[in-house]
Amino acid sequence: MAVRRHIEQAWHASARGAGFLEVDGPPLESLDLFKAKSGDAIAGELYAFNDKGGREVALRAELTPTIGRLVATHGQSLKKPIKWYAVPQLFRYQRQQRGRLKEHLQFNVDVIGAAEVGADAEVVSVALDALRRLGLTSEHVYVRVNHRAAVDQKLAELDCADNEKVLRLIDKGALTAENAAGALGTAAVGELQAWLTEQTDGDAHLGEFFAACEDFGVREFVELDRHIVRGLDYYTGFVFEIFDRGLSERAIAGGGRYDNLVEKLGGPSLPALGFGMGDVVLGDLLKDLKLLPAAPARLDALVVPIGADMLGPARQVVRRLRDGGQRAEAPFAPIKVGKAFKLAEQAGATRVFLVGPDEWADGTVKVKDLREGGETVAYFAEL
Amino acid sequence: MAVRRHIEQAWHASARGAGFLEVDGPPLESLDLFKAKSGDAIAGELYAFNDKGGREVALRAELTPTIGRLVATHGQSLKKPIKWYAVPQLFRYQRQQRGRLKEHLQFNVDVIGAAEVGADAEVVSVALDALRRLGLTSEHVYVRVNHRAAVDQKLAELDCADNEKVLRLIDKGALTAENAAGALGTAAVGELQAWLTEQTDGDAHLGEFFAACEDFGVREFVELDRHIVRGLDYYTGFVFEIFDRGLSERAIAGGGRYDNLVEKLGGPSLPALGFGMGDVVLGDLLKDLKLLPAAPARLDALVVPIGADMLGPARQVVRRLRDGGQRAEAPFAPIKVGKAFKLAEQAGATRVFLVGPDEWADGTVKVKDLREGGETVAYFAEL
């Protein structure tokens, strides 16, 4: 939980810092909603079931369909652009493996109702801002960006007969003349491969995007990569993925424009983009890079009653300290002072209060400072 | 989300203040776990289903079984007493109504491995501390406490033939001679009714408990009520419920000792107690009492580019402000200054930065203070 909260805190801070409002939706949604976005096959990857009323429902594996539904339903009354973020718990019916669990948290950031390239750069900069807050730099992570229109245009030039097939091959890193047979000829595959690996930033949209990234101070993180097309059918333009620069090249986040989704779900036509960033791969990466903080202290102060008669006074001291914003506890039964100091140390406490009968009769307690050493006497009334 | 986060913050602060560690478990558990704690009938109240592998699973409706399972599995290696808290999302298969939704958040606090009455008082004081942090006083809420042993002893004195039946009648407020027929005679029912309404604090355990509440500064919240027996079969001793003092008398939290649960789930015999406090009734109560804060501001500063050429410089200003911990945004396209001020006001921003070409050429921006009024000029390099 300490790791999860550490990561979440960075997510909240980066999204709020950019003026995004937090939202959430139900973890259990109608199965149809997920099918509407991703096709019928998606049901196989979800915890989908019939509820007792016979409804087909599923635990969400992503938040975007819910966001799309909310905007389709309430979008007319909401000020555009809508800047929303969420930290939903997501579920996938799959065998657990490193980096992919049955349940995880995801940082979700969306801008709806803005077609401008500045929105693309803002969304990417929020993702990077979260990673920077966690101690990651451009030496650890980078963003591969692309624009689907540029790829589609290239495929049109090459007289491609089946764009979707070729995009899937590019996405999987499986573009060969053999695999592309029927969609592209051998010469066209060769030309496409060459074009994909040209690291140019030649189109207007991405040129503007890189300039905006420069303004946002994240240009050093961002690279053009024509291979990034994102498998999901619903991406419509700008797409990106954030990777670890290490050998494992794990994907930390991914997103892009999905300008058709809101309309598909019965709402108005609205440009939209967003990304998801999970806590599992990110947590593994932070751990590998030793960027996770030490477990936080559980206590600031341990209050030790010297004898059973002092249990009550110790609770009074605890109350005072808690009211003053300190994390404090007293054992439920008297313990030996030696054991108390060990317990205080294990809990990360910096002070031990000793509540003895003689001192208490004088209205005082002894205070041991575990960091600086030394002992002082404090008046209870002044705690 | 603002309301939910406001409530959650109070929960986290009160539990951490008392040295509790945050934990969580999976939202989806084996159905058997819930049956082991509450009996087979519980399945009817849960989102229970067979997963694709044919496993009987259920979305959790409470966290205690999971806590019991964790302690039964790992309890031997954990230092006692274990002080854990959690803020799980819980699910119930039921028709929605005021105060009861299909999905809610719950504040869960447990102490495992401590039989002392001080643990009972600490757990109650954490619950009350959370409510106090939300602005509730002993004029708004109170705690009814009881000890099951005292009720059981009274039932033994009365030669009760079916304790469980009578306890359920007490819990439902349906104890009449007619309903209790077979378990208690008419005279015994009369004697029991008189005993239940005597507001004495005559037994040793509750006497100690009230004294500890006094030490913890929460005595004014706490009352003995012999009617509180808690329906759940697994409570074994001290029990309590927190109520709204208003006409509606809504239950805000409930808990008590469940000394047998860990052993029942295959672990060692360990005394345990805890409570659950949901966000739905509590949120309704805070709303009714007008104790919910106004919606928090979305922005500290709005940065307005004067013309399309200033979009980039505006992003640079935004970057500076965000790096300095301010929540700041710039529109994705130029907007009129009048509209910008309206937008800033709606977002709760206190400053508007105007980035115009002449000022920018001098390395400056104009800053309008929306609270104090007035305009200053600031150097970009000094932001």
Side-chain angles (χ1 to χ4, degrees):
Chain A
M1 282 308 293
V3 170
R4 183 166 132 182
R5 293 298 184 197
H6 174 69
I7 291 172
E8 270 185 89
Q9 203 169 19
W11 290 348
H12 286 289
S14 67
R16 289 183 191 163
F20 284 77
L21 265 186
E22 192 182 6
V23 296
D24 199 3
L28 199 67
E29 285 271 16
S30 155
L31 180 59
D32 282 341
L33 178 68
F34 300 108
K35 285 182 178 172
K37 184 196 155 213
S38 307
D40 289 356
I42 191 69
E45 295 167 31
L46 302 176
Y47 275 100
F49 60 98
N50 290 323
D51 78 4
K52 289 164 189 165
R55 299 167 202 90
E56 284 192 314
V57 293
L59 288 167
R60 62 187 175 192
E62 53 168 341
L63 190 68
T64 313
T66 299
I67 296 289
R69 177 175 67 73
L70 290 174
V71 174
T73 314
H74 304 290
Q76 306 281 18
S77 64
L78 294 166
K79 268 231 167 332
K80 315 297 175 307
I82 299 164
K83 291 174 69 174
W84 280 353
Y85 85 98
V87 183
Q89 193 165 28
L90 304 179
F91 303 84
R92 287 197 204 104
Y93 187 79
Q94 63 183 4
R95 203 172 287 278
Q96 306 231 135
Q97 50 178 294
R98 184 171 161 92
R100 282 180 81 85
L101 304 181
K102 288 180 176 164
E103 172 267 305
H104 72 289
L105 280 191
Q106 193 184 67
F107 181 33
N108 233 267
V109 173
D110 293 277
V111 174
I112 295 138
E116 294 88 354
V117 70
D120 302 5
E122 170 136 304
V123 159
V124 169
S125 80
V126 168
L128 290 170
D129 196 30
L131 298 178
R132 288 203 288 202
R133 284 170 190 269
L134 293 166
L136 295 165
T137 69
S138 59
E139 286 179 23
H140 303 117
V141 295
Y142 70 113
V143 190
R144 296 187 198 154
V145 303
N146 196 10
H147 200 291
R148 284 274 278 268
V151 185
D152 284 335
Q153 194 188 321
K154 189 70 198 172
L155 293 178
E157 279 173 28
L158 295 171
D159 292 322
C160 179
D162 187 346
N163 279 22
E164 203 174 309
K165 178 178 179 178
V166 175
L167 288 172
R168 286 191 192 284
L169 291 173
I170 296 171
D171 184 52
K172 285 187 200 154
L175 177 66
T176 61
E178 198 182 343
N179 288 340
L184 278 177
T186 306
V189 168
E191 192 179 334
L192 181 58
Q193 283 169 329
W195 181 82
L196 288 169
T197 46
E198 273 170 26
Q199 295 295 319
T200 62
D201 49 5
D203 49 284
H205 175 276
L206 286 177
E208 257 191 82
F209 171 78
F210 286 126
C213 286
E214 186 81 47
D215 294 326
F216 276 133
V218 295
R219 181 64 184 85
E220 76 215 62
F221 286 90
V222 184
E223 293 178 11
L224 174 68
D225 186 335
R226 292 293 184 200
H227 294 90
I228 300 295
V229 294
R230 309 271 305 149
L232 297 160
D233 299 325
Y234 77 118
Y235 284 109
T236 53
F238 171 72
V239 283
F240 73 98
E241 291 183 3
I242 305 184
F243 289 90
D244 158 22
R245 279 199 201 271
L247 285 177
S248 59
E249 289 261 330
R250 289 167 284 192
I252 297 164
R257 285 215 160 258
Y258 53 94
D259 287 345
N260 298 335
L261 183 69
V262 177
E263 196 170 7
K264 206 168 169 180
L265 295 174
S269 172
L270 278 173
L273 87 154
F275 72 84
M277 177 188 293
D279 67 336
V280 180
V281 169
L282 180 55
D284 287 346
L285 177 64
L286 293 173
K287 194 177 166 197
D288 291 350
L289 293 171
K290 301 195 189 338
L291 286 172
L292 288 176
R298 187 173 66 81
L299 289 178
D300 299 306
L302 182 70
V303 181
V304 186
I306 310 295
D309 287 350
M310 291 296 107
L311 278 166
R315 286 186 198 114
Q316 294 178 41
V317 173
V318 160
R319 174 80 267 155
R320 281 292 178 110
L321 295 171
R322 287 180 188 170
D323 283 349
Q326 301 266 302
R327 292 167 302 168
E329 77 177 18
F332 299 126
I335 55 172
K336 292 197 175 138
V337 173
K339 196 182 160 194
F341 277 94
K342 209 174 139 188
L343 210 157
E345 202 190 313
Q346 284 162 348
T350 54
R351 291 192 298 171
V352 171
F353 289 73
L354 298 172
V355 185
D358 295 344
E359 291 84 0
W360 189 251
D362 294 339
T364 65
V365 294
K366 279 189 196 160
V367 189
K368 301 263 191 181
D369 188 318
L370 299 188
R371 261 193 306 210
E372 311 283 325
E375 178 183 306
T376 52
V377 170
Y379 281 94
F380 172 70
E382 289 169 8
L383 284 179
Chain B
M1 282 309 293
V3 170
R4 183 165 134 183
R5 293 298 184 196
H6 174 69
I7 291 173
E8 270 184 271
Q9 202 168 20
W11 290 348
H12 285 290
S14 67
R16 289 184 192 163
F20 284 76
L21 266 186
E22 192 182 6
V23 296
D24 199 1
L28 199 67
E29 284 272 16
S30 155
L31 180 59
D32 282 341
L33 178 68
F34 300 108
K35 286 182 177 173
K37 184 197 153 213
S38 307
D40 288 355
I42 191 69
E45 296 168 30
L46 302 176
Y47 275 100
F49 60 97
N50 290 324
D51 78 5
K52 288 165 189 163
R55 299 167 203 90
E56 284 192 314
V57 293
L59 288 168
R60 62 187 176 193
E62 52 168 342
L63 190 69
T64 314
T66 299
I67 296 290
R69 178 174 66 72
L70 290 175
V71 174
T73 314
H74 304 290
Q76 306 281 18
S77 63
L78 294 166
K79 269 231 167 330
K80 314 297 175 309
I82 299 163
K83 291 174 69 175
W84 280 351
Y85 86 97
V87 184
Q89 193 165 29
L90 304 179
F91 303 83
R92 287 197 205 103
Y93 187 79
Q94 64 184 1
R95 203 173 287 275
Q96 305 232 134
Q97 50 180 293
R98 183 172 161 92
R100 283 180 79 86
L101 304 183
K102 289 181 176 163
E103 172 268 304
H104 72 289
L105 279 191
Q106 192 183 66
F107 182 33
N108 232 269
V109 173
D110 293 278
V111 174
I112 295 137
E116 295 88 354
V117 70
D120 302 6
E122 170 136 306
V123 160
V124 169
S125 80
V126 168
L128 290 170
D129 196 32
L131 298 178
R132 289 203 289 202
R133 285 171 189 268
L134 293 166
L136 295 165
T137 69
S138 59
E139 287 179 23
H140 303 118
V141 296
Y142 69 115
V143 190
R144 295 187 198 154
V145 304
N146 195 11
H147 200 290
R148 285 273 278 267
V151 186
D152 285 335
Q153 194 188 319
K154 189 70 198 172
L155 293 178
E157 278 172 30
L158 296 169
D159 292 324
C160 178
D162 187 345
N163 279 21
E164 202 174 309
K165 180 177 179 178
V166 175
L167 289 172
R168 286 190 192 282
L169 291 173
I170 296 172
D171 184 52
K172 283 188 202 154
L175 178 65
T176 62
E178 198 183 342
N179 288 340
L184 278 177
T186 306
V189 168
E191 192 180 332
L192 181 58
Q193 283 169 329
W195 181 82
L196 288 169
T197 46
E198 275 171 25
Q199 295 295 322
T200 62
D201 49 5
D203 49 283
H205 175 276
L206 287 177
E208 258 190 82
F209 171 79
F210 287 125
C213 286
E214 186 81 48
D215 294 325
F216 276 132
V218 295
R219 181 66 185 85
E220 79 217 59
F221 286 90
V222 184
E223 293 178 12
L224 175 68
D225 186 335
R226 293 294 186 199
H227 294 89
I228 299 296
V229 294
R230 308 271 303 147
L232 297 161
D233 299 325
Y234 77 117
Y235 284 109
T236 54
F238 171 73
V239 284
F240 72 99
E241 290 182 4
I242 305 183
F243 289 90
D244 159 21
R245 279 197 201 272
L247 285 176
S248 59
E249 289 260 330
R250 288 167 285 192
I252 296 164
R257 285 215 160 258
Y258 54 93
D259 287 346
N260 299 335
L261 183 68
V262 177
E263 196 172 6
K264 206 169 168 181
L265 296 174
S269 171
L270 279 173
L273 87 153
F275 72 83
M277 176 188 292
D279 67 336
V280 180
V281 169
L282 180 55
D284 287 345
L285 177 64
L286 294 172
K287 194 177 166 197
D288 291 349
L289 293 171
K290 301 196 189 337
L291 286 172
L292 288 176
R298 188 173 66 81
L299 288 178
D300 299 305
L302 182 70
V303 181
V304 186
I306 309 296
D309 288 350
M310 291 296 107
L311 279 166
R315 285 184 199 117
Q316 294 178 40
V317 173
V318 161
R319 172 81 268 157
R320 281 291 178 110
L321 295 171
R322 288 180 187 169
D323 284 347
Q326 302 266 304
R327 292 167 303 168
E329 76 178 19
F332 299 127
I335 56 173
K336 291 196 175 138
V337 173
K339 196 182 161 197
F341 278 94
K342 210 174 140 190
L343 211 157
E345 202 191 313
Q346 285 163 347
T350 53
R351 291 193 297 172
V352 171
F353 289 74
L354 298 173
V355 185
D358 295 344
E359 291 83 1
W360 189 250
D362 293 339
T364 65
V365 293
K366 279 191 198 162
V367 189
K368 302 262 192 182
D369 188 318
L370 299 188
R371 262 193 306 211
E372 311 282 326
E375 178 182 307
T376 52
V377 170
Y379 281 95
F380 172 71
E382 289 168 9
L383 285 179

